Amino acid sequence: MTGIVVAVDGPAAAGKGTLARRLAAALNLPYLDTGLLYRAVGRRVLDAGADPRDAALAEAAARALTPADLDRTDLRGPMADMAASAVAAIPAVRAALLDFQRSFGRARGAVLDGRDIGTVVFPEARVKLYVTASVEERARRRFLELQGRGVAADLSQVEAEIRGRDAQDASRPVAPLKPAADAILLDTTNLDAEAAFAAALHLVRGRLG
Ligand code: CDP
Ligand code: CDP
């Protein structure tokens, strides 16, 4: 499968990462979670005690990113989620992260998950999946994840946070969250991770011919 790019986009907690990681293993392709890049930039700005909407600081943070930033263990949680979404709305931040994502995918093909992989990063991707699920189901999944990590959370608060972040991601002028015109839509509301993977692999193999 060398050289093939598979784009996996969709809203928060749809199961993109879980699915993309499994697809990459099945297709023997490298995997990149592009959300981590925005999360790491947001984290750097928060660490500086600044507002993640500060365009100059966020751009500098994006340009200074190192691989070690992506290994940090504090990239998830409500603060980190919103900081990622805030820096992701800044055009200069997106521009600074573009080359890395494209080089990663071009080296030997890849499965990448995010919001704009099929629309902006790899508009020429061989296969594009847009993975979604109802907001209630996505909130339930994120809530269970938080519980599993021992983080106290409130389901209705998790749902409100997801709604807010999706609205912010979908309404930004640059690279908004939306399916590419040629993306295959996969609604996993009633599918567990295993069934979603089986359905996705079938769709991907169909596209690859
Ligand atoms: O990357 P994204 O935020 O879209 O989702 P994720 O980090 O892959 O997390 C989704 C969570 O929902 C994980 O705990 C999965 O086990 C679970 N899940 C899933 O990924 N896919 C389903 N169809 C059902 C549940
Ligand atoms: O796992 P979850 O879906 O909750 O979030 P993520 O994929 O880690 O992305 C975190 C944030 O980064 C999103 O809310 C987007 O604002 C931003 N992002 C983006 O703008 N473009 C991407 N390709 C990936 C993430």
Side-chain angles (χ1 to χ4, degrees), residues 28-40:
N28 195 23
L29 288 170
Y31 164 64
L32 181 64
D33 172 357
T34 67
L36 275 188
L37 302 172
Y38 296 92
R39 289 175 177 278

Side-chain angles (χ1 to χ4, degrees), residues 12-13 16 34-35 39 85 88 94 115-116 142 165 169 172:
K16 305 177 297 295
T34 67
R39 289 175 177 278
S85 182
R94 306 200 71 85
R115 301 291 185 288
D116 64 335
R142 186 60 29 102
R165 189 150 57 94
D169 290 345
R172 67 185 175 219

Side-chain angles (χ1 to χ4, degrees), residues 11-19 76 113 137 141-142 145 188 191-194 196:
K16 305 177 297 295
T18 304
L19 181 63
R76 300 194 185 273
D113 86 285
E137 173 59 17
R141 290 177 189 172
R142 186 60 29 102
E145 263 183 340
T188 70
L191 302 179
D192 64 15
E194 185 64 39

Side-chain angles (χ1 to χ4, degrees), residues 1-7 29 102 104-112 117 121-128 208:
M1 288 292 161
T2 302
I4 285 167
V5 171
V6 178
L29 288 170
R102 288 189 173 150
F104 185 96
R106 280 176 188 153
R108 46 184 212 94
V111 181
L112 301 95
I117 308 304
V121 182
F122 282 106
E124 75 281 20
R126 275 284 292 282
V127 189
K128 301 177 186 179
L208 292 177

